[in-house]
């Protein structure tokens, strides 16, 4: 994970160059390159997008267009824990909205805000995770939680916060 | 000959690239927003839908014509469909038509009227996006955008820049510069071609009309106008004249009626430009330096080089453009001659161009904050002012230009068409009145050769910045070699400028250019050095072409510019004893600055210098002429290589 320390972001920047080299500079590879760069930084920093445009000899506006078209790309830094709430039909009828509202309140997110100020959590919705039998579904990073009630979700979040605090102490 | 049926009537066709062209040739003006014959086909606006025999609705612009096709263009279904689409477009559109700059030229407004849309059943968009008026040349109002993409394709396909693009999607889709930056923060060259293809008021020219009215009503100001060559062959289009009909004497008359004190001719300044540029060219030719010489009359092209090809900055002619030469000799010479101060003279240019507004605002062209050219009106703005003043065009009596700066040769007049500058220069080299047909016409790249003192001089003429980019790449790779290159940013040269009346398609541009060549034919004097007023300027003020006075007042300098603001890559490492910043902007990147970055980073790691040396990548040190550039402790190292930087770090440690 990229952190604010000089060395890691320098390493990430070198990774960007490796990624571009591996794929080649044909603009058809732009999406794959952006995906890998996002894996490196967890989001797409503006200056890196500009750099990619320079290296691939396409206009920055084009790269920006592609990066904003797909929901999966983020131009904002994401939190250490990315919470995805499924809002597909099955989850929706099983009260995914209630879950979402609770988490928004719990994390203190304002309208349009997705990531907490301390960069610990990012809250997103997804359309369908293909696990409708477990509705409503919540995924935190790679971990799937099924049949989540607002109470259960709050418990999970509290545990994470507790774990993070103890690590920092 | 192949045929197809349109509304039951047989229509012949041959090589038309799509059904829409066939239908339009058959005399049916199917509406479109997103179709321009000079741009790629996009098929987004759905206005050109037609119905085939099977009842399918197909977009005519995206369908090749086929033998035996039977289509209809205004079935009930089609009429309903088109109205619905239009209604949806209007629902998302900021419909403040009465106060919209584009009102009379707006395709959306016209179509809504033609199709009898009287009610819009859908709610308005609530969220308003900010208007961007940061550019000196154009204003972008995304609330009026219908997402036809004409501007995006114009910028990308014809100008080869791609300043604006589509971003986001669905209801949030919008046209914007990268990272939602303002136009003034990105590599926009102000050519304004986006505004000339925009069917609505989403991109318009930034008007200077109010400034000019203020000056005209200020008794302390002597207001002096200059009229660019291309304006005179397009102005009449707004008043029912044909494209190419010359109207300079009517324009003089209209300006006088509005209260201008003097009306002069930019073509004279063009003659002066030729004098200076020929001198500069001969000097470079003798020394074999900085060739090819690039013309510098077009400010959009100049900015394009500053942004994208700083290594060619020394190839640009140092001559100011005719507009700026005019402003300079009016404020620095003429004002004094007639007993006025700079502040009391107000110079207004009437230009076919939006980039001229940005050029006039460049700080090099001002003395103590007082610009040489105070306001720039486009042809369109002049037309508006004429109407605003209630001047009846048909009643205007021709009036001649004022003296001493109202006389030009044919060479100055043809500056308005692509190839014109070259032809005027060649006449000087040649010493005659050569009609240099090789550089006339609409080809993207025109090449020719002339003999001067037994030496073959190779010239190239390009218009449209994409063509210019291709030519620069060829020159860079050594695949092409020229002595003189003329570049105009707009297709067709200034006659196709974004300040001209719309439409300005290929056919109309050619007619305007033809109008200029007819004027040239009428002139007895066709060569810049024959202009008695230009001679007078040299005798009384400048001395000779290339003199010290000329250099001070008629020449300029250029600088490299960052393509995009605020995009440094910071690594946040601690500031150490040695701080290294490596430029990874376009120019430096292409010359291997990343290799330097890698080498320095390796060195830091291998020798554990993390606390002592900080490393940063920056997007531009604005030193592109001697790239790659690296900044070490605040000092810029030009033409850097890894070894040199490593040595320098060692020394400092």
């Amino acid at each position: 994970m990229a952190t604010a320390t000089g060395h890691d972001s320098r390493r990430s920047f070198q990774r960007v160059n490796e990624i571009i080299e591996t794929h080649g500079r044909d603009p058809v590879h732009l999406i794959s390159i952006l995906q890998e760069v996002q894996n490196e930084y967890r989001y797409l920093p503006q200056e890196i997008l500009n750099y990619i445009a320079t290296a691939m000899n396409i206009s920055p506006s084009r790269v920006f267009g592609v990066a904003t078209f797909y929901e999966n790309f983020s131009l904002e830094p994401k939190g250490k824990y990315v919470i995805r709430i499924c809002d597909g039909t099955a989850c929706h009828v099983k009260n995914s909205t209630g879950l979402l509202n609770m988490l928004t309140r719990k994390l203190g997110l304002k309208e349009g805000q997705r990531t907490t100020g301390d960069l610990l959590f990012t809250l997103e919705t997804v359309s369908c995770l293909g696990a409708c039998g477990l509705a409503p579904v919540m995924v935190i990073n790679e971990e799937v939680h099924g049949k989540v009630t607002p109470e259960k979700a709050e418990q999970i979040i509290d545990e994470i916060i507790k774990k993070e605090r103890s690590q920092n102490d | 000959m192949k045929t197809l049926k349109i509304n039951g009537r047989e229509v012949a066709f041959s090589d038309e690239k799509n059904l829409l062209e066939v239908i339009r040739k058959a005399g049916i003006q199917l509406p479109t927003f997103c179709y321009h014959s000079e741009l790629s086909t996009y098929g987004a606006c759905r206005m050109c839908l037609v119905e085939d025999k099977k009842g399918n609705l197909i977009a005519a612009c995206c369908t090749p014509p086929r033998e035996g096709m039977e289509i209809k263009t205004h079935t009930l279904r089609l009429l309903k469909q088109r109205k619905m689409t239009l209604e949806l477009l209007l629902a998302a559109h900021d419909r403040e038509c009465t106060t919209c700059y584009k009102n009379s030229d707006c395709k959306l407004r016209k179509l809504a009227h033609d199709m009898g849309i009287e009610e819009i059943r859908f709610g308005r968009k609530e969220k308003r996006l900010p208007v961007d008026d940061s550019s000196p040349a154009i204003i972008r109002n995304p609330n009026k955008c219908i997402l036809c993409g004409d501007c995006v394709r114009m910028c990308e396909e014809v100008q080869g820049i791609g300043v604006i693009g589509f971003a986001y999607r669905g209801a949030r889709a919008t046209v914007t510069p990268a990272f939602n930056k303002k136009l003034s923060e990105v590599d926009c060259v102000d050519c304004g071609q986006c505004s000339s293809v925009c069917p609505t008021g989403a991109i318009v020219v930034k008007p200077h009309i109010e400034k000019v009215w203020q000056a005209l009503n200020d008794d302390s100001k002597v207001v002096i106008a200059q009229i660019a060559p291309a304006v005179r062959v397009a102005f009449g289009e707004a008043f029912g004249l044909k494209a190419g009909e010359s109207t300079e004497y009517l324009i003089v008359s209209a300006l006088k009626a509005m209260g201008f004190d003097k009306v002069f001719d930019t073509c004279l300044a063009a003659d002066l430009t030729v004098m200076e540029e020929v001198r500069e060219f001969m000097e470079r030719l003798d020394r074999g330096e900085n060739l090819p010489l690039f013309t510098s009359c077009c400010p959009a092209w100049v900015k394009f080089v500053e942004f994208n090809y700083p290594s060619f900055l020394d190839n640009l002619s140092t001559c100011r453009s005719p507009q700026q030469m005019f402003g300079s000799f009016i404020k620095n010479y003429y004002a004094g001659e007639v007993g006025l101060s700079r502040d009391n003279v107000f110079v207004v240019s009437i230009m076919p161009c939006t980039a001229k507004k940005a050029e006039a605002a460049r700080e090099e062209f001002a003395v103590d904050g007082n610009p040489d050219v105070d306001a720039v009106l486009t042809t369109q703005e002049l037309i508006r002012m004429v109407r605003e003043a209630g001047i009846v065009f048909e009643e205007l009596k021709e009036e001649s230009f004022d003296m001493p700066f109202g006389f030009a040769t044919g060479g100055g007049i043809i500056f308005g068409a692509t190839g014109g500058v070259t032809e005027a220069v060649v006449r000087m080299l040649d010493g005659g009145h050569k009609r240099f047909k090789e550089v006339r016409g609409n080809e993207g790249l025109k090449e020719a050769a002339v003999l001067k003192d037994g030496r073959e001089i190779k010239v190239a003429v390009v218009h449209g910045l994409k063509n210019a980019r291709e030519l620069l790449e060829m020159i860079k790779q050594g695949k092409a070699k020229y002595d003189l290159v003329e570049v105009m940013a707009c297709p067709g040269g200034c006659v196709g400028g974004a300040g001209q009346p719309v439409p300005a398609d290929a056919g109309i541009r050619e007619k305007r250019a033809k109008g200029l060549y007819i004027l040239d034919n009428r002139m007895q004097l066709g060569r810049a050095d024959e202009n008695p007023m230009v001679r007078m300027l040299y005798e009384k003020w400048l001395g000779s072409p290339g003199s010290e006075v000329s250099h001070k007042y008629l020449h300029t300098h250029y600088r490299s510019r960052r393509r995009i603001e605020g995009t440094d890559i910071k690594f946040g490492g601690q500031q150490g004893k040695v701080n290294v910043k490596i430029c990874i902007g376009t120019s430096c990147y292409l010359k291997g600055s990343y290799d330097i970055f890698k080498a320095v980073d390796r060195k830091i790691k291998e020798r554990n210098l993390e606390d002592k040396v900080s490393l940063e990548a920056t997007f531009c040190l604005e030193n592109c002429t001697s790239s790659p550039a690296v900044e070490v402790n605040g000092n810029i190292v030009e033409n850097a290589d890894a070894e040199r930087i490593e040595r320098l770090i060692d020394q400092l440690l």
Side-chain angles (χ1 to χ4, degrees), chain A:
Chain A
M1 193 188 93
T3 62
T5 70
H7 188 70
D8 276 2
S9 52
R10 202 140 78 212
R11 194 192 66 83
S12 295
F13 178 59
Q14 281 174 349
R15 268 293 294 148
V16 173
N17 284 280
E18 283 164 26
I19 292 165
I20 297 172
E21 288 312 318
T22 328
H23 286 276
R25 287 160 198 220
D26 189 322
V28 297
H29 302 304
L30 180 59
I31 293 174
S32 326
I33 291 174
L34 292 181
Q35 278 176 323
E36 287 185 35
V37 169
Q38 173 149 310
N39 285 344
E40 189 60 38
Y41 284 88
R42 299 172 58 83
Y43 78 110
L44 295 171
Q46 177 175 310
E47 59 275 19
I48 297 298
L49 288 181
N50 198 19
Y51 181 72
I52 292 171
T54 305
M56 297 182 78
N57 199 19
I58 47 181
S59 68
S61 68
R62 177 100 165 272
V63 178
F64 181 66
V66 172
T68 53
F69 185 85
Y70 296 100
E71 273 297 312
N72 210 15
F73 289 133
S74 170
L75 276 81
E76 305 289 325
K78 285 202 182 181
K80 188 172 175 186
Y81 297 90
V82 179
I83 309 166
R84 294 195 184 89
I85 305 292
C86 180
D87 199 22
T89 316
C91 292
H92 190 82
V93 296
K94 292 259 186 176
N95 195 26
S96 60
T97 318
L99 199 57
L100 192 67
N101 290 342
M102 190 284 297
L103 285 169
T104 308
R105 261 198 320 274
K106 169 100 187 153
L107 301 174
L109 296 172
K110 292 190 196 74
E111 209 192 306
Q113 190 190 355
R114 283 179 164 188
T115 301
T116 54
D118 57 3
L119 284 181
L120 198 54
F121 294 101
T122 293
L123 180 62
E124 301 176 338
T125 57
V126 285
S127 291
C128 183
L129 289 162
C132 309
L134 298 175
V137 179
M138 172 173 87
V139 183
I140 300 182
N141 291 347
E142 302 299 313
E143 203 177 311
V144 181
H145 302 267
K147 301 191 172 164
V148 191
T149 56
E151 295 73 36
K152 197 172 155 195
E154 183 158 21
Q155 219 179 334
I156 297 169
I157 300 297
D158 282 335
E159 271 165 36
I160 293 175
I161 295 174
K162 214 166 109 192
K163 192 175 102 196
E164 283 295 318
R165 276 206 192 121
S166 67
Q167 270 175 10
N168 286 342
D169 286 340

Side-chain angles (χ1 to χ4, degrees), chain B residues 218-491:
Chain B
D218 183 343
D219 291 340
S220 70
K221 299 257 191 243
V222 172
V223 186
I224 296 176
Q226 57 165 323
I227 305 172
V231 174
R232 63 203 65 191
V233 286
F235 176 75
E237 288 165 34
F239 302 99
L241 298 186
K242 288 201 188 87
E245 275 190 64
S246 73
T247 52
E248 65 269 42
Y249 302 123
L250 294 172
I251 300 175
V252 174
S253 171
L255 291 173
K256 285 290 173 70
M258 280 186 243
F260 280 83
D261 296 290
K262 296 275 179 206
V263 181
F264 295 137
D265 196 348
T266 310
C267 301
L268 175 136
D271 280 337
L272 196 58
T273 308
V274 174
M275 297 296 289
E276 292 295 324
E277 202 157 308
V278 166
R279 164 76 190 209
E280 184 185 21
F281 178 55
M282 293 314 293
E283 273 176 13
R284 289 196 193 183
L285 211 54
D286 285 344
R287 290 197 204 129
E289 262 175 23
N290 298 329
L291 290 170
L293 173 92
F294 292 128
T295 58
S296 57
C297 304
C298 172
W301 153 243
V302 166
K303 221 170 175 183
F304 179 81
V305 179
E306 290 183 319
F307 276 126
N308 301 292
Y309 290 92
S311 57
F312 280 111
L313 281 177
D314 290 337
N315 293 72
L316 278 176
S317 162
T318 60
C319 292
R320 297 185 189 181
S321 71
Q323 157 173 285
Q324 292 308 138
M325 283 203 182
F326 180 94
S328 181
F329 71 65
I330 291 298
K331 291 231 172 158
N332 295 311
Y333 168 71
Y334 178 75
E337 288 293 297
V338 294
L340 294 166
S341 75
R342 267 189 87 89
D343 296 335
N344 291 334
V345 177
F346 193 88
V347 175
V348 179
S349 318
I350 322 277
M351 293 284 145
C353 176
T354 54
K356 288 283 167 193
K357 290 175 186 271
E359 182 185 45
R362 284 178 79 121
E363 55 186 28
E364 304 92 278
F365 302 137
V367 176
D368 301 329
N370 178 286
D372 287 348
V373 173
D374 296 272
V376 178
L377 296 173
T378 59
T379 314
Q380 287 183 48
E381 287 167 77
L382 176 67
I383 291 164
R384 241 184 124 171
M385 282 182 77
V386 167
R387 294 200 170 123
E388 191 177 358
I391 293 166
V392 182
F393 181 80
E394 289 75 21
E395 309 268 308
L396 287 171
K397 300 270 180 301
E398 295 198 332
E399 264 181 76
S400 53
F401 282 103
D402 287 303
M403 286 296 154
F405 304 123
F407 183 83
T409 71
I413 289 167
I414 56 175
F415 257 60
T418 163
V421 178
T422 305
E423 186 167 339
V425 168
V426 167
R427 285 182 193 173
M428 284 286 292
L429 297 176
D430 195 55
H433 290 174
K434 192 172 176 139
R435 300 284 176 261
F436 198 40
K437 297 264 164 64
E438 292 96 315
V439 296
R440 296 187 182 183
N442 234 346
E443 286 293 309
L445 166 67
K446 293 167 277 186
E447 295 171 289
V450 279
L451 274 177
K452 168 80 180 163
D453 305 332
R455 202 200 136 148
E456 191 189 52
I457 293 171
K458 289 181 78 178
V459 299
V461 175
V462 285
H463 54 124
L465 288 171
K466 190 173 190 194
N467 293 330
R469 193 189 277 276
E470 280 165 13
L471 187 82
L472 284 172
E473 290 299 331
M474 298 262 287
I475 294 174
K476 241 171 137 174
Q477 293 161 18
K479 288 182 190 157
K481 210 168 174 292
Y482 303 102
D483 300 301
L484 177 69
V485 177
E486 173 196 312
V487 184
M488 294 295 158
C490 293

Side-chain angles (χ1 to χ4, degrees), chain B residues 47-83:
Chain B
M47 283 292 123
C48 69
L49 288 182
V50 293
E51 193 169 333
D52 71 4
K53 215 164 38 176
K54 293 181 195 151
N56 295 320
L57 300 189
I58 47 177
C61 68
C62 304
T63 311
R66 280 189 308 272
E67 172 75 48
M69 246 181 165
E70 286 180 32
I71 54 126
K72 290 185 170 165
T73 60
H74 45 263
T75 61
L76 282 177
R77 231 178 117 203
L78 283 169
L79 293 178
K80 194 177 158 197
Q81 186 67 43
R82 265 186 222 131
K83 266 189 166 172

Side-chain angles (χ1 to χ4, degrees), chain B residues 493-504:
Chain B
C494 308
V495 288
Q500 299 277 61
V502 281

